[in-house]
Amino acid sequence: MYKRDELKVLKKEFWEGFSSFLSLIPELFHRKGRFLLYDTKISGVEMKFDLSRNGVMVVLELNHSNLEKRELIWEKIKSYRVVFEEQQFSKNLIWNEDYVRDCGSHVKRVYVQCEDLNFHRREDWAKMYRFMAEEMLKMETAFLEIRDVIAD
């Protein structure tokens, strides 16, 4: 078990290593930012990485504070499910209409998860980096295909 300061250093080293790993990926050379993440251009829609001792997730999350708008966006995204499935994710996509975050808030998520990797094991980091980069590129590609439609 890590102490708070040790965990902070571990996280910093992980993200610095991930940044170095991303600099080696040709698909990302021309981009100003590495990934869209919070800059999706749609309020309440974010892309993120979620990692823990239990695995790693690449996530498209709907967390709009207006429940009606969140539901409307969710229905639009679900109607384009085939666009996401065409990306051939390494694991099955999980469509969770009521995902509960660690903080207790309820959101809607589409994500791909790899449970056999542990953030606390440095020997897993290279596999995590590869999984995160490959799957986020696929998630972004699918999202960008439908972004204009769901933004209306």
Side-chain angles (χ1 to χ4, degrees):
M1 206 63 174
Y2 290 99
K3 294 179 183 172
R4 182 182 296 211
D5 291 340
E6 294 171 331
L7 189 56
K8 186 176 179 179
V9 170
L10 188 69
K11 286 179 181 179
K12 184 177 187 274
E13 290 175 4
F14 177 85
W15 291 112
E16 287 172 350
F18 186 53
S19 180
S20 295
F21 176 83
L22 293 177
S23 68
L24 304 173
I25 298 177
E27 294 90 345
L28 299 174
F29 285 160
H30 66 283
R31 290 182 166 199
K32 181 179 177 185
R34 298 290 189 199
F35 296 110
L36 291 176
L37 302 178
Y38 301 99
D39 190 25
T40 62
K41 310 288 190 233
I42 301 174
S43 178
V45 177
E46 301 172 349
M47 301 182 88
K48 56 177 73 176
F49 301 107
D50 194 348
L51 47 110
S52 70
R53 296 177 72 156
N54 301 325
V56 61
M57 289 186 226
V58 173
V59 180
L60 172 63
E61 181 177 281
L62 283 66
N63 54 25
H64 200 290
S65 57
N66 182 312
L67 296 177
E68 288 179 20
K69 287 185 180 181
R70 187 185 318 163
E71 189 63 37
L72 181 63
I73 295 169
W74 178 253
E75 290 304 319
K76 287 180 182 180
I77 289 174
K78 278 189 352 187
S79 71
Y80 289 95
R81 188 176 190 146
V82 68
V83 173
F84 287 87
E85 291 170 355
E86 287 173 351
Q87 294 301 314
Q88 299 179 347
F89 289 89
S90 64
K91 309 248 184 209
N92 289 333
L93 275 178
I94 299 167
W95 295 75
N96 192 329
E97 294 189 36
D98 190 27
Y99 185 88
V100 181
R101 288 195 208 147
D102 291 339
C103 65
S105 62
H106 293 255
V107 297
K108 297 181 181 302
R109 278 188 170 185
V110 178
Y111 62 96
V112 60
Q113 177 177 355
C114 187
E115 295 177 311
D116 57 344
L117 300 174
N118 182 339
F119 164 69
H120 290 204
R121 286 193 310 251
R122 290 178 186 267
E123 59 270 16
D124 285 355
W125 286 9
K127 290 178 188 171
M128 291 176 86
Y129 295 160
R130 196 169 19 266
F131 176 83
M132 291 165 60
E134 290 173 1
E135 303 306 306
M136 184 57 82
L137 283 169
K138 294 173 189 175
M139 187 74 76
E140 278 190 356
T141 299
F143 174 75
L144 289 172
E145 279 189 49
I146 66 169
R147 177 171 62 184
D148 293 340
V149 176
I150 64 173
D152 292 334

